[in-house]
Amino acid sequence: MSKNTGKSALTPKPRKRVKRQVENDAFGAMVRRMVRAYGRRVGNGDVEALVGLTALVSDVDTAVRVAVVGLYDFGYSWADIAVRLGVSKQAVQMRYGSSSAERGGIDERIRSAGLDVTVGTLVRVFADHFPGSSPRPSACPKCGYRYPDDKSECPTMSVVRPQLYRRRTENPAALEDLLTGEQFESLIKPKSVRTNRFTVRTGRSAPCPEPVIEPSLLDLLNGKDTTP
């Protein structure tokens, strides 16, 4: 047989296969169906799988963070992202921003009020930054501060908690109206609540903590380092 002498320029080349992209709406709907099915499967008697199911809360929080940071790097502004999340631009910046000035800093409501902060403001900030206990999130639900293994409070909470505890009798109605039972107990009995969270997370008894001198609001506003 003679060698094929056809002109390559006239011979159509095979089309390159385009990778199929699943629409995000359909993909999200599938994930939600899987999560609901997961809950039903665990509810059918698999009590040991309950731990894995609750761990999805942290996984979703991480996924949202990856998505938000990716959108910001893609070119969307914090304002664009905030509109979709239904929160303020400042809240998105504090929770998902990459710098310490954007994320994990002292709540603006505390910094702007300074020493004139009211009990009502302290209560609202306390409730917003409260981490909860079951399941414990990996980051502050308000500012996005990533909790270390031995802590369960963001910098804002570490400032607000002692201030609010000392001034709790000034406006008891604010505490009753704005705090849940769990939040109120955490404020009144902070050591027992934080010990329980440590035990649940690590699976071992919490170590005996060393005495810690809580920084005052004036020290933090002036940038004073109170670390021993």
Side-chain angles (χ1 to χ4, degrees), residues 62-76 78 81 96:
T62 301
V64 172
R65 182 174 300 278
V66 169
V68 169
V69 172
L71 288 170
Y72 182 73
D73 292 341
F74 187 82
Y76 288 98
W78 291 124
I81 297 171
Y96 299 108

Side-chain angles (χ1 to χ4, degrees), residues 15-28:
R15 296 181 61 184
K16 188 176 181 180
R17 180 174 297 178
V18 179
K19 185 178 179 181
R20 178 174 177 267
Q21 294 183 348
V22 179
E23 293 294 334
N24 284 333
D25 289 343
F27 187 80

Side-chain angles (χ1 to χ4, degrees), residues 16 34 38 46 78 89 103 105 115 127 134 136 155 160 164 174 194-195 197 204 217 221-222 224 227:
K16 188 176 181 180
M34 292 177 66
Y38 190 8
D46 190 359
W78 291 124
K89 171 186 171 182
R103 175 171 51 86
L115 298 178
S134 181
R136 180 186 181 278
V160 171
L164 181 57
R194 279 182 279 185
T195 298
R197 289 199 195 115
R204 55 193 174 90
L217 182 58
L221 291 173
N222 291 333
K224 182 178 178 180
T227 303

Side-chain angles (χ1 to χ4, degrees), residues 171-187:
N171 189 355
L175 276 70
E176 182 178 353
D177 294 340
L178 300 176
L179 296 183
T180 65
E182 181 185 15
Q183 291 168 350
F184 183 80
E185 183 179 2
S186 174
L187 175 65

Side-chain angles (χ1 to χ4, degrees), residues 54-115:
T54 57
L56 288 179
V57 175
S58 178
D59 293 336
V60 170
D61 178 73
T62 301
V64 172
R65 182 174 300 278
V66 169
V68 169
V69 172
L71 288 170
Y72 182 73
D73 292 341
F74 187 82
Y76 288 98
S77 66
W78 291 124
D80 293 331
I81 297 171
V83 169
R84 274 69 180 184
L85 295 178
V87 297
S88 68
K89 171 186 171 182
Q90 290 75 16
V92 173
Q93 228 171 340
M94 287 182 64
R95 181 167 187 178
Y96 299 108
S98 58
S99 68
S100 59
E102 293 176 324
R103 175 171 51 86
I106 303 300
D107 194 295
E108 176 63 25
R109 290 170 290 181
I110 301 297
R111 291 192 287 112
S112 61
L115 298 178

Side-chain angles (χ1 to χ4, degrees), residues 76-168:
Y76 288 98
S77 66
W78 291 124
D80 293 331
I81 297 171
V83 169
R84 274 69 180 184
L85 295 178
V87 297
S88 68
K89 171 186 171 182
Q90 290 75 16
V92 173
Q93 228 171 340
M94 287 182 64
R95 181 167 187 178
Y96 299 108
S98 58
S99 68
S100 59
E102 293 176 324
R103 175 171 51 86
I106 303 300
D107 194 295
E108 176 63 25
R109 290 170 290 181
I110 301 297
R111 291 192 287 112
S112 61
L115 298 178
D116 295 327
V117 63
T118 65
V119 173
T121 298
L122 289 173
V123 172
R124 292 183 181 89
V125 174
F126 181 90
D128 290 343
H129 290 264
F130 184 73
S133 58
S134 181
R136 180 186 181 278
S138 59
C140 173
K142 178 64 176 179
C143 67
Y145 175 81
R146 306 292 294 183
Y147 299 128
D149 289 339
D150 58 341
K151 293 183 179 179
S152 61
E153 291 188 346
C154 66
T156 292
M157 182 64 86
S158 65
V159 173
V160 171
R161 180 187 291 279
Q163 297 291 326
L164 181 57
Y165 180 79
R166 284 194 291 267
R167 300 179 57 185
R168 66 190 184 280

